Amino acid sequence: MADNALELRNIDMHYGYVRALDGIDIAVRQGEVLGLLGDNGAGKSTLLKVMSGAHQPTSGEIRVHGAEKTFGSPADATHSGIQMVYQDLALVDAQDIATNLNLGREILRRGPLGWLGFVDHKAQRRRSTAELEKLGVRTAAVTRPVEMLSGGQRQVVALARGATRVNGEQSGILLLDEPTAALGYEQTQQVQSLIRRLADQGVACVLVTHNLPLAMSVCDRIAVLNRGRKVADIPVAETENDHLVGWITGARASMFATASEAS
């Protein structure tokens, strides 16, 4: 069995008297796609923010490839090999695909021009093309501005940008927040295929989604949150749509309920 790439142990998150997360234990292995499901207010976004370093938990432990970590900011999580792909994509519309793929890791020109901060755009385009080919991504030319792309193409660029940062010598963790929320069927299929290819290359993926068919088709395992607690954690092959809906709505008892709670 593959090692855990990311593991959270007994995570609590309090906002004053409100307990957003209550004793969450969750892990994702290298090369695995973990679906994170739950109704609005279940704690999915809060948990994702804890994973990405945007929020610091009230208590609990975070481990990356077995090493305990403390994230004071998203930059700390990034340095540990974790990348977050936000629902709003965070792309620069006026810039081309290559520039967006290289944001924060620009290739500077050699010599005095590089010292002055001039970017080597040709080198960035070559690197971007090679990285997209490695990921098996077929999209527009890397010189095309993002504002001219379709919704599916934009999502693929955002996913590819995250993937190029986590798919190094030690495969990292990619956190995906509703990646198909505004996409049609064909565009969703394109994004789904890319997620599976990333997992096949060893990337650990955590997918937050309300799309149950997507979760059932692309995920290896699904965890369900309800009012800040984990109520299910099960391989996709061992569950079905009705069970997931029951856990999400609370109509089905938690897999981890005590005898008194179950009754």
Side-chain angles (χ1 to χ4, degrees):
M1 182 178 290
D3 296 330
N4 287 333
L6 176 65
E7 183 177 5
L8 278 65
R9 300 178 180 176
N10 200 28
I11 295 293
D12 284 345
M13 188 74 197
H14 301 169
Y15 298 101
Y17 293 105
V18 177
R19 177 170 287 187
L21 298 174
D22 185 1
I24 298 292
D25 292 318
I26 202 163
V28 58
R29 294 185 287 271
Q30 288 182 247
E32 180 181 47
V33 181
L34 171 67
L36 192 57
L37 306 183
D39 207 348
N40 293 331
K44 307 184 303 300
S45 295
T46 301
L47 186 58
L48 211 62
K49 288 174 181 176
V50 169
M51 293 177 176
S52 68
H55 286 176
Q56 290 72 55
T58 305
S59 62
E61 184 178 308
I62 300 173
R63 289 183 173 270
V64 180
H65 296 292
E68 187 172 354
K69 301 288 184 179
T70 299
F71 298 150
S73 69
D76 293 337
T78 298
H79 292 153
S80 295
I82 298 173
Q83 284 288 322
M84 175 80 172
V85 180
Y86 294 95
Q87 191 171 350
D88 64 4
L89 305 185
L91 298 174
V92 182
D93 288 351
Q95 298 293 337
D96 61 21
I97 292 174
T99 299
N100 274 275
L101 290 177
N102 286 281
L103 287 174
R105 54 173 196 145
E106 289 82 1
I107 301 175
L108 299 181
R109 297 179 66 174
R110 295 181 180 179
L113 291 178
W115 304 339
L116 295 172
F118 283 81
V119 173
D120 189 336
H121 293 287
K122 290 184 178 179
Q124 289 195 161
R125 289 165 186 160
R126 288 194 297 269
R127 180 166 71 178
S128 297
T129 299
E131 289 175 340
L132 291 174
E133 288 179 352
K134 182 179 179 181
L135 292 172
V137 172
R138 299 290 181 267
T139 186
V142 296
T143 55
R144 179 170 295 183
V146 165
E147 62 190 359
M148 296 178 63
L149 302 180
S150 68
Q153 288 174 320
R154 290 163 62 90
Q155 184 67 68
V156 166
V157 170
L159 285 174
R161 185 177 62 187
T164 56
R165 288 158 167 76
V166 301
N167 204 14
E169 295 181 3
Q170 184 183 53
S171 293
I173 301 104
L174 196 60
L175 311 177
L176 310 172
D177 185 13
E178 296 284 2
T180 64
L183 303 183
Y185 176 78
E186 291 185 3
Q187 295 173 329
T188 296
Q189 293 299 306
Q190 185 181 17
V191 171
Q192 176 180 319
S193 297
L194 177 54
I195 294 172
R196 279 302 342 162
R197 283 199 299 273
L198 293 174
D200 291 342
Q201 293 178 16
V203 175
C205 300
V206 179
L207 170 65
V208 169
T209 182
H210 284 92
N211 188 331
L212 288 185
L214 172 69
M216 293 293 286
S217 61
V218 76
C219 295
D220 300 294
R221 190 163 50 89
I222 289 176
V224 181
L225 300 185
N226 189 303
R227 291 181 290 182
R229 287 188 173 186
K230 186 176 75 169
V231 296
D233 194 333
I234 190 169
V236 167
E238 298 177 15
T239 189
E240 58 188 58
N241 192 79
D242 288 347
H243 291 171
L244 293 176
V245 172
W247 282 314
I248 290 170
T249 61
R252 187 176 180 84
S254 168
M255 292 177 63
F256 314 107
T258 63
S260 60
E261 290 174 331
S263 61

